[in-house]
Each structure stands twice: as structure tokens, then as C-alpha cells.
Amino acid sequence: MISTHDSALQSWLDEELEGVVSRFEAELSSELSCVNWLSSYVQRYRGKMLRPSLLLLAGYATSEGGDRVSEAHRVASTVVEMIHMATLVHDDILDEADLRRRGATINHLRGNEAAVMLGDYLISHAYHLCSSLEGTWISRAVGRVTNTVCEGELLQLENRENWSLDRRTYLEIVRRKTGGLCGLCCWLGGALWRGTPAVPGRDDSGVMGGLWRFGESLGVAFQVADDVLDLVGEEREVGKTLGVDLRKGKLTLPVIVYLSMLEEAERGSLIETFSALGEMPENEFEDVLRSLRGQIVASGALDAARDEARGLLAVGVEEGLGGLSEGPAVRALAGLSEQVVDRWV
Amino acid sequence: MISTHDSALQSWLDEELEGVVSRFEAELSSELSCVNWLSSYVQRYRGKMLRPSLLLLAGYATSEGGDRVSEAHRVASTVVEMIHMATLVHDDILDEADLRRRGATINHLRGNEAAVMLGDYLISHAYHLCSSLEGTWISRAVGRVTNTVCEGELLQLENRENWSLDRRTYLEIVRRKTGGLCGLCCWLGGALWRGTPAVPGRDDSGVMGGLWRFGESLGVAFQVADDVLDLVGEEREVGKTLGVDLRKGKLTLPVIVYLSMLEEAERGSLIETFSALGEMPENEFEDVLRSLRGQIVASGALDAARDEARGLLAVGVEEGLGGLSEGPAVRALAGLSEQVVDRWV
């Protein structure tokens, strides 16, 4: 779970997140035992519940007295968690990953077919649950964001083995793939109090647009941190298959930065190595990965990637939280953005 | 396209279906060219547009003068077509199929990853478009049906290589996988005129429940026909990879009926052959398939499977169309059910 460093707020949040878990289970429950087995297995994928936490905290931060959050906030938190879980299940197929949260992935355990369908089952239930909320604008906003998430994934696929991928395109992929859903969470936290149709988006100049931009920048920084961990983390600590990005031909920010620091000949030779990674035997791959880590850290490219994400995040905090009245939830949101950065230290 | 044998009705339907195609394209259009390429490729998967035709004809059949269908019918027709296309794209991954509608499948052409994400993109846009309709009950009904579709697929996966699969479980899979969406189409055709929240379902005793049951039985008969074609069709005529069901360990109605006709020893020996199909070289597999076809046709099992589907369909026509006033759209719906049966003649 997310840590808020505020014991009263923390027990409120923990209790709300337990409620999210219960709603999650109730929504997925089926008459068919084979479906229930998969639904309960996927609960192992649950992490720190960043997305529902963002939604609930943004709801609290924008509540005007009375309840901290509404029933709609609770349902919507379950919806975003379910969408996130669906993306994890389908991502593991894309990555051919065997390990997630220290356990076997669904595709590893039951084959790609079951993983495709389980992901679809989660997506379907997410929309089904979402449409139990009053106001079609909520489903509309969620649909708009999931459209963007898929576009981000497709753009990333298109750029596999594109060894000249630039920062701008990388950040565009990440903004769509991860930023949008976190932006939506923070935006919904505020928007669900209003109960009126509204267009979600980062371009809104008011408090709501600020919340969106805060969530989006947090999501982007979170993804950059994830990409950094894939490169320099320890498999045992991170709990999932590492080095997957490079092996699948995905360039991430620290690698992009490092490549841009090299002379043309060196760059060419490294790209040649990258192109061969897909077919390389496991032990040889480990050696290449170890050596590359050393070079990237020594060159300062890792620090540069961190600084870029820190910069984005600082702007998001300023723009998104600046307009809100001080209080425990706003402090917790600001704290969360610190934690995102801390992940990679 | 579906043939209505009524030239005035046909030109109306054709024009409406062209409108569905335009809305389909407009909804999927993206800023990203790689996404647009995939979206336009998937249009090759488009078949006779059974599901939008059902929805539009059911709308026409229940209209009380004035317009034949409303704008909501047109949007909802696009939604159901998009959901159907998404299931085709993901089904091809499940089946490891290389060919659909005489062209390469997305998974064959661009890999499983692109097929997973393209299917997700279609699903996401289907819900996004659906939530542009007034009334959350529409998205709710669609979500309920897509939940069931996924359950059907998961139940089918669970029963792969279950060589003692019975009729009842087979029909339960088909009802969920294919029946539900067709039931929804017919139900929506009527429900969208009412504009009031309602619970979709086959158990409703009124006209709406009847429409649901008609669509459901038509969907089931259609799937049985599809399964029959997978077994006894000609690849060139059907335009997709055949024999896939058996090779992937999926028993279908004619095979289930045939197995039930055999003595225990013969059944055991045939099941032994089935178990070996997955690993069998292509030419050997063709021989087994050819011989099996002959046996199934000669035994009368094929006719028995057809009769079972015909019986289900007759009940659906009686219950679903009996309560509607006579007219061109009702006649066309009845004619459609004939065409479903004709497919396998």
C-alpha cells in the first residue's frame, strides 16, 4: 500500500482500499468455477494500488466538508484498479513475461489464450461496473482514456527495434500508456463531486485540469521509474522478469539518453549488440545486461533520466496541487510524488 | 451482406449498414498512423454484418410509425459490430489461426502482441462510443453481455481436450460466446425505442424477452453452423483456416453427437486419435480430417446436429417473432433464421 506518513489518513485510506478489494471481488464473481479461479489468481498481481489511492486522495482533497469521498468515488476507484489489472495481464503477453509480483504470470501458467480472455473479462467488468454510476460522462471519460492507453501500447509496438527512438516519442508513448489513466484518476477525484458532464483533459485551465496534469506527470514519472528498474533493478527485489524491455527491442529513457551521449561508431556497435539480444542465450544476455548497466550508471545517463522525470513531476505538483486548499490529502498526494522518485534510489 | 429478399427493405438496410461502416471508421480514427493502418486492415474481417442487421431489423420491426430506426439504433449497431470484430481478432490468437476472410490474420501478420492490443483498441472504442448514447442502462446491458461472452470463451478454454464434453456444456459455451450478443442486438432494437432503464434478459416474459430469445437462438444456430463448416467446409469457400477446432482440442456438436453413437472401444480409439492431432504433421492431419468427415456424415451425426440447432431456432422464431406485428422487417428476421440454417447445406 501507499504510505501517507499520517496515521489518521493512512487508516482511512487503508480501509477505503479494503473496500475497493471487496468490490473488485464482488464484481468479478461468476457462476463458473474456472472463471473464479482465474479472477482470484489475478489478485496476486495487486500492488500498492496507486490508481485507486490517487482517486480517493484527490476526492478527499477536493471534498468541501461532509464526506471525504462519495460512493461514486469508491466504485470509480474499483473501476480504475480493474482496468490497470487488465493492462498488466495483457502486457505480460506482449512482454512474454514469466514472472510478476514473485508469482508465475497467467500466460506462463495457463497459456496466452487464457491471459487474453482473462484480460478481456477484467476490461468488460470494468466498463460494466463503471456504467452502474450515474452519468454517461464517467464511462465516456474512462473510454477516452482506455482508447489512449491502447494507442500508447500500439505506438510502443510500432517502435520495437527502432534503435533511433527519440525522447519525445518515448515520452509520448509513456504519457498515453501510463500517464492518461493516472491523470483520469486525479481528475475523477474532483469531477465526481460535481456530477455534471465535463470533458476530461489536461488542457482545462481550472483546478480540474491541474489535477489531471498532476496525475499524468506522476504516471509518467512512475513509468520512467519502472523502466529504470527493468534495467538496473534486482529481479528478486522487483519480483518480475527483468531486462525484458531491451530484449523485446524497447528503448527506455536511460538507454535513449546513453545512446545520445555516444560517438557514432560506439552507438553503432551498441545498437548491433541490441539487435542480437532477442536471440541470445540467457547467460550471455545476463553478461551484456550487467555490462550495459555499468556503462549507463557511469555515464550519468541514469541520473539524467531521473532528472528529466523529476522535472516533469515538479511541474505537475506545482500546477496540480497549487490550486487546492492545504490539508492531509493534498500533503499525501505531494508525498506520493516523492515516493515515485524514491523507488529508483 | 444479409439478403432480405425484399428490394425496398434491402436498399434501406444496405444504406443503414453503410452508415454503420462510416461511423465505425470515424470512431476508430486516430492521430497515429500505425493505429489507423491496423484499424483499416481489420475492416477486411467484416463479414455480412449479421449483428448490426439484427439490431436494425429489430428496431424497424418494433417501430411504431415515424422513423424506422433512431440515431441511437445506428450508434448501437456500430457498437455491436465493433465488439464482434474485437472478439474475432482475439479469437484468432486463441485459435492460432493464419487466415480469416481469405486474408492473413493480424496475429499472423503482425504477431500476437499487435492482435491483443488491436482487439483491446476495438473493445475500448466500442464502450467509448456506447457511452455517447443517452442512458447508462445501454452501456450496462452491453457490459453484462460482454462479461458473458468472456465467460463463454474461458469455459471453452477450460474444456479444451475434454473429450467427454457433453451437449449441455457445449451449448452453454455457445450460448454465452455467441448467443448473448445476438440476443442483445434484437433486444436493443426494441429497447432503444423505450428509452427507459431495463434489465436485459431472456427471462422477460414480454415482447422484449421474446426478441432476446429469438436473437440468442439465432446466434447459437449460427455458431453451430460455423462449427459444422470448420469440420466439413472447404477452406477455399469458407475463407478461413479449417479443422482448427479439433486440432485445438475443441469438441463441437457434430463430433459430440458422433462420439455418443460409438461403442466404447471405438470411442476410445477415436479419442486417442484426437489427442494426437495437436502434434500431427499437416498432411497426416488432413487425412484424419477427411476420414472423420466421411464417418460423421455417414453416421447421421451431422444431420442430428443440424436438427438440434434447427429445433432451437424454431422455438426462438416462435417465441420471439410471434408477438410482433407482421411487416417487412419481421419477415426479414424470420428469413434470416432460414439463411443461418442454409449456410451448412
Side-chain angles (χ1 to χ4, degrees), chain A residues 22-29 82 125 128-129, chain B residues 140 147:
Chain A
S22 306
R23 282 167 201 268
F24 192 99
E25 287 170 355
E27 173 64 33
L28 292 183
S29 152
M82 213 170 273
H125 272 282
H128 178 251
L129 181 60
Chain B
R140 186 80 176 159
N147 291 345

Side-chain angles (χ1 to χ4, degrees), chain B residues 188-210:
Chain B
L188 274 177
L192 287 171
W193 289 120
R194 315 210 166 179
T196 46
V199 177
R202 59 189 323 283
D203 300 330
D204 177 343
S205 61
V207 172
M208 306 294 298

Side-chain angles (χ1 to χ4, degrees), chain A residues 115-323:
Chain A
V116 170
M117 271 308 131
L118 177 64
D120 288 353
Y121 184 70
L122 289 164
I123 296 169
S124 175
H125 272 282
Y127 293 114
H128 178 251
L129 181 60
C130 193
S131 59
S132 70
L133 290 167
E134 223 173 295
T136 54
W137 63 274
I138 308 171
S139 293
R140 186 81 176 157
V142 169
R144 188 189 295 249
V145 165
T146 53
N147 290 346
T148 311
V149 171
C150 296
E151 286 181 322
E153 295 275 7
L154 287 167
L155 187 58
Q156 185 162 56
L157 273 175
E158 180 75 9
N159 281 287
R160 274 208 185 159
E161 299 186 31
N162 170 10
W163 308 113
S164 55
L165 182 74
D166 58 17
R167 272 183 168 90
R168 203 188 52 78
T169 311
Y170 168 81
L171 288 171
E172 174 69 21
I173 290 168
V174 169
R175 192 179 65 78
R176 289 180 186 259
K177 210 182 73 159
T178 316
L181 188 56
C182 292
L184 175 79
C185 289
C186 293
W187 178 81
L188 274 177
L192 287 171
W193 288 121
R194 313 209 168 181
T196 47
V199 177
R202 60 190 321 283
D203 300 329
D204 176 343
S205 61
V207 172
M208 305 294 298
L211 272 170
W212 182 285
R213 289 191 297 279
F214 165 72
E216 187 180 85
S217 65
L218 190 138
V220 169
F222 189 83
Q223 184 65 54
V224 173
D226 217 50
D227 291 349
V228 166
L229 282 177
D230 183 77
L231 191 67
V232 302
E234 291 296 326
E235 190 150 310
R236 221 174 21 177
E237 283 174 34
V238 182
K240 59 178 189 178
T241 316
L242 293 183
V244 166
D245 291 336
L246 264 184
R247 207 164 169 127
K248 298 292 284 183
K250 281 196 260 176
L251 287 191
T252 54
L253 195 53
V255 184
I256 293 169
V257 174
Y258 181 57
L259 280 170
S260 73
M261 289 171 161
L262 298 177
E263 298 293 328
E264 201 172 322
E266 282 181 298
R267 186 164 50 241
S269 138
L270 188 55
I271 286 174
E272 216 163 285
T273 309
F274 287 165
S275 318
L277 290 179
E279 306 297 315
M280 203 173 268
E282 193 62 36
N283 57 342
E284 214 177 308
F285 173 71
E286 293 292 338
D287 289 344
V288 173
L289 194 62
R290 198 171 309 120
S291 142
L292 183 69
R293 282 172 180 172
Q295 293 167 51
I296 288 184
V297 172
S299 70
L302 201 68
D303 288 330
R306 286 173 186 171
D307 288 346
E308 180 141 359
R310 274 205 183 92
L312 285 170
L313 200 47
V315 174
V317 170
E318 172 67 26
E319 288 192 21
L321 305 183

Side-chain angles (χ1 to χ4, degrees), chain B residues 35-300:
Chain B
V35 174
N36 288 328
W37 186 89
L38 285 166
S39 299
S40 76
Y41 188 84
V42 87
Q43 309 242 11
R44 295 195 195 184
Y45 280 28
R46 181 165 294 126
K48 60 189 82 59
M49 300 181 82
L50 174 63
R51 289 150 194 84
S53 300
L54 285 174
L55 198 154
L56 292 163
L57 289 169
Y60 188 174
T62 51
S63 107
E64 299 179 346
D67 293 331
R68 288 170 179 176
V69 292
S70 66
E71 278 302 287
H73 286 92
R74 297 183 176 114
V75 172
S77 296
T78 313
V79 170
V80 295
E81 178 69 359
M82 214 171 271
I83 289 170
H84 174 59
M85 292 280 232
T87 64
L88 293 183
V89 173
H90 280 180
D91 259 357
D92 285 339
I93 306 172
L94 270 60
D95 291 339
E96 296 174 11
D98 295 334
L99 206 63
R100 169 162 314 266
R101 308 242 187 259
R102 297 180 180 76
T105 55
I106 295 284
N107 43 312
H108 181 74
L109 208 66
R110 292 281 174 114
N112 278 343
E113 296 98 337
V116 171
M117 272 308 134
L118 177 64
D120 288 354
Y121 184 70
L122 289 164
I123 297 170
S124 175
H125 272 281
Y127 293 114
H128 178 252
L129 181 60
C130 192
S131 60
S132 71
L133 291 168
E134 223 173 295
T136 53
W137 64 274
I138 309 171
S139 293
R140 186 80 176 159
V142 169
R144 188 189 295 249
V145 165
T146 52
N147 291 345
T148 311
V149 171
C150 295
E151 285 181 322
E153 295 276 7
L154 287 167
L155 187 59
Q156 184 163 58
L157 273 176
E158 179 75 10
N159 281 289
R160 272 205 187 160
E161 298 185 31
N162 170 11
W163 308 114
S164 54
L165 182 73
D166 57 18
R167 273 184 167 90
R168 202 186 53 79
T169 311
Y170 168 81
L171 288 172
E172 174 70 20
I173 290 168
V174 169
R175 193 178 66 77
R176 289 180 186 260
K177 210 181 75 161
T178 315
L181 188 56
C182 292
L184 175 79
C185 289
C186 293
W187 179 81
L188 274 177
L192 287 171
W193 289 120
R194 315 210 166 179
T196 46
V199 177
R202 59 189 323 283
D203 300 330
D204 177 343
S205 61
V207 172
M208 306 294 298
L211 272 170
W212 182 285
R213 288 191 298 279
F214 165 73
E216 188 180 85
S217 66
L218 191 139
V220 169
F222 189 83
Q223 185 63 54
V224 174
D226 217 51
D227 291 349
V228 166
L229 282 177
D230 184 77
L231 192 67
V232 302
E234 290 297 324
E235 190 150 311
R236 222 176 21 180
E237 283 173 35
V238 183
K240 59 178 189 180
T241 315
L242 293 183
V244 166
D245 291 335
L246 264 183
R247 207 162 169 128
K248 298 293 285 182
K250 280 197 259 177
L251 286 191
T252 54
L253 195 53
V255 184
I256 292 169
V257 173
Y258 180 58
L259 280 171
S260 74
M261 289 172 159
L262 298 178
E263 297 293 326
E264 201 170 324
E266 283 180 298
R267 185 162 54 239
S269 136
L270 188 55
I271 286 174
E272 216 163 287
T273 310
F274 287 165
S275 316
L277 291 179
E279 306 298 315
M280 204 172 268
E282 192 61 36
N283 56 344
E284 214 178 309
F285 173 70
E286 293 292 338
D287 290 343
V288 173
L289 194 62
R290 196 170 313 118
S291 142
L292 184 69
R293 282 172 179 172
Q295 292 168 49
I296 288 183
V297 172
S299 70

